[in-house]
Amino acid sequence: MIQEQQIILRTPAKVNLSLDITGRRADGYHTLSSVFQAIDCYDTLTIRRIENDAPMTLCCQAEGVPCDSRNLVYRAAQRLLQAEEPRGIAMTLEKNIPSQAGMGGGSSDCAAALLGIRALLKLSVSDQALSELAASLGADVPFFLCGGTALAEGIGEILTPIPDVPERILVVAKGREGVSTPEGYRKLDRLEEPLPMYTKAVLDALHTTQPQRLFAACGNAFDAVTNLREIRKIRLVMSSCGVKPVLSGSGAAVFGGCETMTQAAHLEQLLQGMDFVRICKTIPYGVQQYGTDGIWHSL
Ligand code: ATP
């Protein structure tokens, strides 16, 4: 039997169509209720077999992305192969998803590494065991094992997949500044007024045929406490086009739902000065593998 020598995966980003803070656990973690949505902005992870006893390598050219055990891809391999210094594979990561954006880039790469290494090395690890490993690597990682649209509760690890949602067009933008998630939570804790809740309205509007109804329902508790200069600018530009700006995760990316491609192209043009701006579509699946037929397939 010919053994496959490499696997090429693309790993989607996400936005949070809603993010409500629902409470705080005794251990200090905030609980949330959030609708996660995978979008067609991808990193690419290539995993190659090398000699069994050769040390694992991870190569990534992106500025500020570590290539050692601080990288979630590296950590995924350590945990899955149960070795501090894994062997037998070489990985290359091409980043397109911005960091410190709230778009889940690192978590998505991590899920792809788990799925990809299992497939390439034909490891007998069950889906359940892989999900548990994913949750131990980061609260957002289990979502990316399946992608699409899902309701996340608890600290993000309790997932309910939501099937068959119509495709939507979004413009996602981010400036150079990143945000600190712990600082965002501290600011939320200091707020005296009750936090707005969006998830129920988003769930009600998800299947609607009028995109505007869904976009009007989207929102994020961190919107109230995140006010960097570039975020303010993105919000102003989106609002001036009649598009509601919503933070993704704890920021610093902001997305706006558009009714047409023309509206999205206009908005993208206006946001060209930003570090990152992209027209994205929502997608119904997660990590995909490049097939010998030249087509991307769901893993
Ligand atoms: P989230 O959306 O989950 O809040 P994020 O927006 O903070 O994530 P990430 O791309 O996940 O952005 O990266 C945050 C930090 O994690 C980076 O600054 C980097 O040092 C580290 N990191 C670890 N693994 C990765 C990875 N595979 N890709 C990018 N950054 C990674």
Side-chain angles (χ1 to χ4, degrees), residues 152-227:
E153 294 169 295
I155 58 164
E157 83 296 8
I158 305 171
L159 281 177
T160 311
I162 299 169
D164 300 334
V165 167
E167 180 185 278
R168 319 278 180 180
I169 306 165
L170 310 166
V171 172
V172 188
K174 181 185 173 286
R176 284 204 81 79
E177 303 158 299
V179 294
S180 152
T181 305
E183 178 59 21
Y185 276 115
R186 276 195 291 276
K187 286 186 180 166
L188 281 175
D189 288 339
R190 288 198 293 266
L191 282 183
E192 294 196 347
E193 60 268 33
L195 295 173
M197 299 284 185
Y198 304 98
T199 297
K200 186 179 176 309
V202 164
L203 290 174
D204 286 346
L206 260 180
H207 294 90
T208 178
T209 50
Q210 308 140 287
Q212 225 25 55
R213 221 190 106 204
L214 172 66
F215 301 143
C218 290
N220 181 328
F222 285 97
D223 278 318
V225 292
T226 313
N227 206 17

Side-chain angles (χ1 to χ4, degrees), residues 204-284:
D204 286 346
L206 260 180
H207 294 90
T208 178
T209 50
Q210 308 140 287
Q212 225 25 55
R213 221 190 106 204
L214 172 66
F215 301 143
C218 290
N220 181 328
F222 285 97
D223 278 318
V225 292
T226 313
N227 206 17
L228 299 174
R229 190 180 52 82
E230 289 165 309
I231 289 183
R232 285 204 302 272
K233 190 168 172 201
I234 297 168
R235 285 182 179 141
L236 268 177
V237 173
M238 288 189 176
S239 301
S240 73
C241 294
V243 168
K244 181 178 178 184
V246 179
L247 209 62
S248 187
S250 58
V254 177
F255 71 91
C258 296
E259 278 188 80
T260 61
M261 225 22 180
T262 313
Q263 185 186 32
H266 178 60
L267 189 52
E268 185 196 31
Q269 193 61 37
L270 293 176
L271 289 167
Q272 274 309 319
M274 287 295 144
D275 208 41
F276 173 88
V277 58
R278 186 83 44 96
I279 300 176
C280 295
K281 291 202 179 120
T282 58
I283 52 168

Side-chain angles (χ1 to χ4, degrees), residues 14 43 64-66 70-73 93 95 97-107 109 140 181 250-251:
K14 58 88 175 158
D43 291 341
V65 178
R70 288 168 296 168
N71 196 307
L72 282 166
V73 163
L93 178 62
K95 293 291 300 180
I97 307 171
S99 288
Q100 297 197 315
M103 295 170 71
S107 304
D109 300 341
D140 291 352
T181 305
S250 58

